[in-house]
Amino acid sequence: MAKEKGRNVIASNRKARHDYTILDTYEAGVALVGTEVKSLREGKASLVDAFATIDDGEVWLRGLNIAEYGRGSWTNHAPLRKRKLLMHRREIDNLIGKIRDGNLTLVPLSLYFNDGKVKVELALARGKQAHDKRHDIARRTAQREVERELGRRVKGM
């Protein structure tokens, strides 16, 4: 059986980019049990309420919902259990320092297979206020209008 190559996205957290300002991103492996991997291969995961914490020098992903495997038996996993993230020690120490300094948090942006291994893209993020969100929406709308006008001028309208 051939190994799969490349990056196959399982789930993404689109709301995270709306609610947070992304400062830096990290890639981490996820420690899973067998039925979790089988369920992920079927695409049954949700990152909606997920977040990461650092406890005793280890990074844990909480709130990640991986649905139970349909053909699993008593070996099935708990859908909302906390899962350990696999990162290098210096990355974890770097994150501990940054999180301790300011009001920053770790938010998962996407969950994907990379060459057959489950990875999560973590973002070091700062929460946005309501006025920041409105400012971003206004800037996107203005940029869209500029692009439309340039397109009209190119077409000669």
Side-chain angles (χ1 to χ4, degrees), residues 74-130:
W74 59 272
T75 60
N76 249 336
H77 61 277
L80 288 173
R81 73 176 187 91
K82 68 179 186 177
R83 293 163 178 95
K84 187 174 181 177
L85 296 181
L86 309 172
M87 297 178 77
H88 291 287
R89 170 58 48 201
R90 66 180 170 280
E91 287 180 329
I92 296 172
D93 293 340
N94 188 8
L95 285 175
I96 289 172
K98 288 181 179 180
I99 289 174
R100 189 177 297 139
D101 288 346
N103 55 352
L104 302 178
T105 186
L106 288 171
V107 180
L109 297 179
S110 64
L111 187 68
Y112 55 92
F113 282 106
N114 189 7
D115 295 335
K117 295 176 178 62
V118 178
K119 305 283 184 175
V120 65
E121 182 180 17
L122 276 181
L124 186 64
R126 177 176 285 119
K128 283 186 184 176
Q129 300 293 325

Side-chain angles (χ1 to χ4, degrees), residues 54-70:
I54 301 176
D55 303 326
D56 298 328
E58 295 179 335
V59 184
W60 295 89
L61 187 60
R62 300 172 189 268
L64 170 64
N65 187 359
I66 299 176
E68 287 187 351
Y69 182 56

Side-chain angles (χ1 to χ4, degrees), residues 5 10 17 19-20 22 33 36 45 54 61 63 67 69 71-73 92 111 115 119 130 137-138 144-146 151:
K5 295 288 182 187
I10 302 164
R17 294 192 188 274
D19 291 340
Y20 298 95
I22 307 301
V33 297
E36 289 175 325
I54 301 176
L61 187 60
Y69 182 56
R71 290 178 291 284
S73 59
I92 296 172
L111 187 68
D115 295 335
K119 305 283 184 175
I137 292 170
R144 197 174 304 129
E145 289 296 323
V146 167

